[in-house]
């Protein structure tokens, strides 16, 4: 039996096919693993460009599973995406692929609009033409802007304040327009900050832990009084599966938590744990205040009664989640901090390229057509 025949015959054994974009990134990889393990009769396709903050090491536990396939590709390529939808009979889409680092968005806002908005439109068009059953568009609490008082429910207006959140607000508007105009079965999620093992070191919790591992100070932007609500990655993964199974089409779901920490408080807790310090004077010596970024939002409180009505609640306490996270980084100090990753910690964003499929992408399309396991293109 040829590889093409093997792929065709094995596909028939699966009840559903799920496409996860950005599935080699932090949150996407956890969702992929959960889907592969929870639904052995479903075919899970992981599509990722393998940018600087994603890694196939995140998927090591499932890379040999029969119901898992990885393919490398770009959501901004219509040829690639259209061929993928035309050949794989995709039933459900989780759209995680995005540029997410706020500091980078100020440096290159056009690239954030291209990837986060144009890439979403490419996927929406392909999904509309193929007749998917669910299109779960992953957005962010940052589309609301900040609030010092009232918490945001799903009906609050969008007031994004930085190029990243503007691109995410625009993308979710596009997604919801496909529900209204084309009845594409879209569901939008907006979550608080997520943390846990495997997160790239540009985000605040792994950045602080990694700095402390190198005996460097935690660098805090501005006053440090800005706060964030933190969800452990296992909880948010369960929230996405809950929305997939029980969510109402055309709706928006906040995925929130009451666990809030000011950045200075967060730094103190991590310093105390990682460095084993208790005296305030000793802790203060491990903090360094640096210039603030433009438009620093103070906080993003969410009302998340709607998703709780589906039966979901965050279950991992802050103490347990932080302990698991610190333990993981302590046992994996070089996971991201190898020479290549260090060079890419503030990578130049790519220039705009034509959307025609390259030779490399054509090889990727051929690869996914020919197997039911992991793509042969595993370089990062």
């Amino acid at each position: 039996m040829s590889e093409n025949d093997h792929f065709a015959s094995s596909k028939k054994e699966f009840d559903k096919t799920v496409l996860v974009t950005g599935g080699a990134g932090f949150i996407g990889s956890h969702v992929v693993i959960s889907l592969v393990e929870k639904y052995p009769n479903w075919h899970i396709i992981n599509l990722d460009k393998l940018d600087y903050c994603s890694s196939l090491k995140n998927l090591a536990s499932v890379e040999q599973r029969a119901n898992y396939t990885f393919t490398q590709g770009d959501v901004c390529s219509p040829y690639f995406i259209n061929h993928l939808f035309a050949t794989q009979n995709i039933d459900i889409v989780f759209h995680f692929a995005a540029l997410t680092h706020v500091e980078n968005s100020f440096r290159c806002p056009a690239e954030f609009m291209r990837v986060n908005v144009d890439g979403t439109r490419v996927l929406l068009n392909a999904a509309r033409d193929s007749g998917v059953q669910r299109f779960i568009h992953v957005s962010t609490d940052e589309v609301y802007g900040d609030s010092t008082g009232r918490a945001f429910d799903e009906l609050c207006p969008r007031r994004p304040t930085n190029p990243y959140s503007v691109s995410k607000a625009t993308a979710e508007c596009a997604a919801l327009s496909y529900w209204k105009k084309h009845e594409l079965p879209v569901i939008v999620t907006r979550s608080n900050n997520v943390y846990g093992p495997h997160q790239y070191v540009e985000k605040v919790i792994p950045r602080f832990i990694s700095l402390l591992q190198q005996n460097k100070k935690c660098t805090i932007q501005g006053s440090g009084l800005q706060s964030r609500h933190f969800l452990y990655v296992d909880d948010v993964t369960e929230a996405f599966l809950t929305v997939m199974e029980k969510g109402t089409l055309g709706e928006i779901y906040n995925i929130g938590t009451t666990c809030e920490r000011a950045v200075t408080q967060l730094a103190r807790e991590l310093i105390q744990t990682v460095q084993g310090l208790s005296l305030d004077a000793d802790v203060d010596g491990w903090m360094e205040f640096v210039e603030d970024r433009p438009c620093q939002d103070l906080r993003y409180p969410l009302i998340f009664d709607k998703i709780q009505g589906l039966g979901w609640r965050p279950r991992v306490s802050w103490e347990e989640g932080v302990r698991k996270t610190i333990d993981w980084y302590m046992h994996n100090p070089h996971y991201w901090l190898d020479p290549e990753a260090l060079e890419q910690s503030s990578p130049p964003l790519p220039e705009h390229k034509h959307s025609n499929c390259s030779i490399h992408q054509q090889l990727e399309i051929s690869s996914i057509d020919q197997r039911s396991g992991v793509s042969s293109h595993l370089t990062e």
Side-chain angles (χ1 to χ4, degrees), residues 33 56-64:
I33 291 170
L56 290 176
K57 292 187 292 186
N58 294 341
L59 287 304
S61 64
V62 297
E63 64 181 2
Q64 298 300 328

Side-chain angles (χ1 to χ4, degrees), residues 121-177:
R121 288 198 182 104
V122 170
L123 282 167
L124 289 168
N125 282 328
R128 176 197 61 194
D129 295 340
S130 66
V132 301
Q133 299 170 8
R134 288 282 192 281
F135 188 106
I136 299 167
H137 177 76
V138 180
S139 192
T140 172
D141 56 2
E142 293 197 35
V143 300
Y144 291 117
D146 69 352
S147 173
T148 56
R150 177 190 176 188
F152 301 113
D153 63 23
E154 292 85 352
L155 296 178
C156 288
R158 302 176 186 88
R159 297 181 305 166
T161 60
N162 59 65
Y164 161 64
S165 57
V166 167
S167 71
K168 294 298 287 184
T170 306
E172 69 173 51
C173 286
L176 290 169
S177 74

Side-chain angles (χ1 to χ4, degrees), residues 295-350:
C295 302
Q296 179 73 267
D297 292 338
L298 289 178
R299 56 195 298 265
Y300 306 108
L302 295 182
I303 296 171
F304 49 100
D305 295 345
K306 187 188 289 189
I307 193 169
Q308 287 184 312
L310 302 182
W312 175 85
R313 282 166 180 74
R315 304 189 184 281
V316 179
S317 69
W318 169 251
E319 293 74 17
E320 179 185 359
V322 166
R323 176 180 55 78
K324 288 182 176 180
T325 303
I326 291 175
D327 286 348
W328 186 87
Y329 282 95
M330 297 304 285
H331 286 93
N332 297 275
H334 304 297
Y335 193 87
W336 293 114
L337 294 179
D338 54 27
E340 182 179 356
L342 285 172
E343 289 175 6
Q344 295 176 334
S345 60
S346 297
L349 293 169

Side-chain angles (χ1 to χ4, degrees), residues 4-69:
N4 277 326
D5 291 337
H6 175 72
F7 186 87
S9 63
S10 61
K11 274 201 307 182
K12 295 176 182 177
E13 299 173 4
F14 296 114
D15 298 332
K16 290 185 185 295
T17 298
V18 182
L19 174 67
V20 182
T21 71
F26 167 50
I27 302 174
S29 62
H30 282 270
V31 171
V32 166
I33 291 170
S34 185
L35 287 166
V36 169
E37 294 177 343
K38 187 173 183 179
Y39 301 98
N41 293 324
W42 290 13
H43 181 203
I44 313 303
I45 301 175
N46 172 11
L47 168 64
D48 200 289
K49 185 180 177 181
L50 294 183
D51 209 343
Y52 71 98
C53 55
S54 59
S55 174
L56 290 176
K57 292 187 292 186
N58 294 341
L59 287 304
S61 64
V62 297
E63 64 181 2
Q64 298 300 328
R65 295 285 288 269
N67 64 327
Y68 170 71
T69 300

Side-chain angles (χ1 to χ4, degrees), residues 101 103 199-214 216-221 263 270 288 290 329 337:
H101 196 41
E103 280 82 355
Q199 189 170 29
Y200 188 69
V201 292
E202 68 188 2
K203 302 300 184 180
V204 63
I205 290 179
R207 181 165 61 86
F208 283 173
I209 295 172
S210 298
L211 287 170
L212 293 169
Q213 284 179 302
Q214 301 170 72
K216 296 180 179 179
K217 295 181 180 182
C218 295
T219 53
I220 299 170
Q221 294 176 333
V263 174
L270 294 177
E288 179 182 356
V290 299
Y329 282 95
L337 294 179

Side-chain angles (χ1 to χ4, degrees), residues 235-307:
D235 280 332
V236 81
T237 297
E238 190 59 35
F240 287 122
L241 299 192
T242 299
V243 168
M244 177 192 72
E245 295 168 348
K246 302 177 182 179
T248 301
L249 301 182
E251 290 294 323
I252 300 169
Y253 289 92
N254 285 344
I255 305 175
T257 175
T258 58
C259 175
E260 183 176 10
R261 290 291 188 279
V263 174
T264 50
Q265 180 186 0
L266 170 65
R268 287 180 177 277
E269 292 183 25
L270 294 177
I271 292 166
Q272 289 170 346
T273 303
V274 175
Q275 301 295 354
L277 303 175
S278 58
L279 297 177
D280 287 344
D282 293 336
V283 171
D284 289 345
W286 285 91
M287 294 190 295
E288 179 182 356
F289 292 86
V290 299
E291 183 179 357
D292 204 354
R293 76 187 188 199
C295 302
Q296 179 73 267
D297 292 338
L298 289 178
R299 56 195 298 265
Y300 306 108
L302 295 182
I303 296 171
F304 49 100
D305 295 345
K306 187 188 289 189
I307 193 169

